[in-house]
Amino acid sequence: MKTQHKHALLFSIISCAYFGVTEASNGDATKWMEAYGTPHDMAFSGIVTFAHLPNAPCLISQTPFDIGIIGFPFDTAVSYRPGARFGPKAIRDGSRRLRASNGWSLHWGMNPYDGSISIVDCGDVPITPYDNALALQEMEVAYETMINRPTVPGHGLSFPRGIDGKPHPFVLTLGGDHTIVYPILRSLFKRHGPITVLHFDSHIDTWSPGKIPTSTSLISQITHGTMFWKASTEGLIANNSIHAGIRSKFAGPWDLDHDTAVGFEMVTADGIDDVGVEGIVQRIHHRVGNDPLYLRYAPLGLGSFGDTDTTNKASIST
């Protein structure tokens, strides 16, 4: 008997002895179901997906969905502290207490787990940490793949319709440093034309790479603080975009002029205090209207209300 066959046989014998698996014990295969029924995950148990949603291989499967959640674990274009590549994992861990058993929303009056809409966690894009040019391409192709998936017929959501007139699913992206916005906007532009951006953050992220002395190559000019500038040079951003929660440092008033030229209006963190939530909602709605909208939320946008250590952390966008 060949050595590998001996090892395989020995492993089988040990496994059967350890787990009590014998020909006569096959009848025990239904023991759990008979005693307890279908197992249900606790908030702290189970394979980790966003809010205990089902997982689907969205990048390779043609299965339709209404809302797809995808992770972009990328952080190699930051100027200070990397680590946001672990953002998608952290966001999923933080969503563990959201599950079907308590999924009904008081504010929306519905339960997203009841089957009336199809929501899936598509996992993470395998983004290279070694080559930013390739990483940007991978993110763009992944997002473009997602938004071109079919939606589920018969569901009542009002889906965004692209230039082609067809409905396209919503995509929720878990970042990842802020640079991920650039390839996302490139993908959305192909489907919808110039995109209005609603940006909750403490930094404007519209700075020109000319302010960064080491940005001498084209790829090094695309960073977590310049991605909106880069998108504007390609005509991807509509000129009715808006920031909310701005409270960062500036080199001077010319930064504000440049921000306006990129296409943004600004609501500062102090401004939110002044006019309140309702006032901010009205101002945003007046600014963006009914144009195709990309919403990006970073924890930094609300950092002044308690989290003082938010530099380069993960973001969520849709």
Side-chain angles (χ1 to χ4, degrees):
M1 183 180 294
K2 293 183 179 180
T3 302
Q4 59 266 37
H5 291 167
K6 290 180 180 178
H7 290 164
L9 178 60
L10 180 61
F11 178 77
S12 298
I13 294 171
I14 293 173
S15 297
C16 289
Y18 182 78
F19 292 107
V21 178
T22 65
E23 195 69 31
S25 66
N26 287 341
D28 294 337
T30 61
K31 204 164 187 176
W32 174 277
M33 286 294 293
E34 292 171 358
Y36 305 110
T38 303
H40 298 282
D41 287 339
M42 306 294 284
F44 49 81
S45 68
I47 297 173
V48 180
T49 63
F50 185 84
H52 294 270
L53 291 167
N55 175 254
C58 305
L59 297 182
I60 59 175
S61 170
Q62 293 292 330
T63 303
F65 58 83
D66 298 328
I67 301 174
I69 300 167
I70 189 80
F72 277 13
F74 174 84
D75 65 1
T76 52
V78 297
S79 58
Y80 184 63
R81 184 182 65 187
R85 69 183 66 183
F86 301 106
K89 176 183 181 300
I91 294 169
R92 290 186 176 99
D93 280 339
S95 72
R96 277 178 172 269
R97 298 195 69 184
L98 303 174
R99 59 194 194 280
S101 62
N102 61 353
W104 187 81
S105 169
L106 173 64
H107 303 288
W108 294 98
M110 55 90 69
N111 187 340
Y113 297 90
D114 65 7
S116 58
I117 54 177
S118 172
I119 313 176
V120 294
D121 187 332
C122 302
D124 291 343
V125 179
I127 302 168
T128 178
Y130 307 114
D131 182 342
N132 277 8
L134 176 58
L136 292 170
Q137 292 174 10
E138 290 171 335
M139 288 185 279
E140 183 176 341
V141 170
Y143 200 89
E144 193 168 346
T145 300
M146 293 280 290
I147 61 175
N148 281 296
R149 286 284 181 255
T151 59
V152 179
H155 285 182
L157 283 178
S158 177
F159 295 103
R161 293 186 177 270
I163 297 172
D164 58 5
K166 298 178 181 178
H168 295 274
F170 293 98
V171 177
L172 177 68
T173 312
L174 312 178
D177 83 48
H178 304 175
T179 315
I180 69 171
V181 171
Y182 170 64
I184 290 174
L185 288 175
R186 284 177 59 89
S187 301
L188 290 171
F189 178 82
K190 297 172 190 176
R191 184 55 56 200
H192 299 283
I195 301 296
T196 300
V197 177
L198 171 55
H199 179 219
F200 290 94
D201 199 347
S202 65
H203 304 93
I204 54 176
D205 295 342
T206 58
W207 283 286
S208 166
K211 297 190 177 290
I212 308 172
T214 56
S215 294
T216 55
S217 71
L218 293 178
I219 292 300
S220 67
Q221 293 177 358
I222 305 172
T223 73
H224 70 143
T226 65
M227 73 283 184
F228 286 136
W229 163 83
K230 179 61 176 175
S232 74
T233 65
E234 299 181 14
L236 309 180
I237 297 178
N239 64 1
N240 62 332
S241 298
I242 187 168
H243 308 287
I246 301 300
R247 58 183 177 86
S248 67
K249 302 179 181 69
F250 297 94
W254 49 86
D255 281 343
L256 306 182
D257 295 335
H258 182 262
D259 188 64
T260 301
V262 170
F264 281 88
E265 184 179 304
M266 182 188 303
V267 179
T268 65
D270 291 342
I272 293 177
D273 290 338
D274 293 339
V275 302
V277 174
E278 186 62 30
I280 294 301
V281 170
Q282 292 177 4
R283 183 170 172 181
I284 289 173
H285 190 268
H286 177 75
R287 173 72 173 174
V288 305
N290 295 313
D291 293 340
L293 182 71
Y294 170 77
L295 185 152
R296 176 176 175 271
Y297 166 75
L300 294 82
L302 298 177
S304 56
F305 299 100
D307 187 352
T308 58
D309 182 26
T310 54
T311 307
N312 303 340
K313 284 190 177 177
S315 58
I316 300 177
S317 55
T318 186

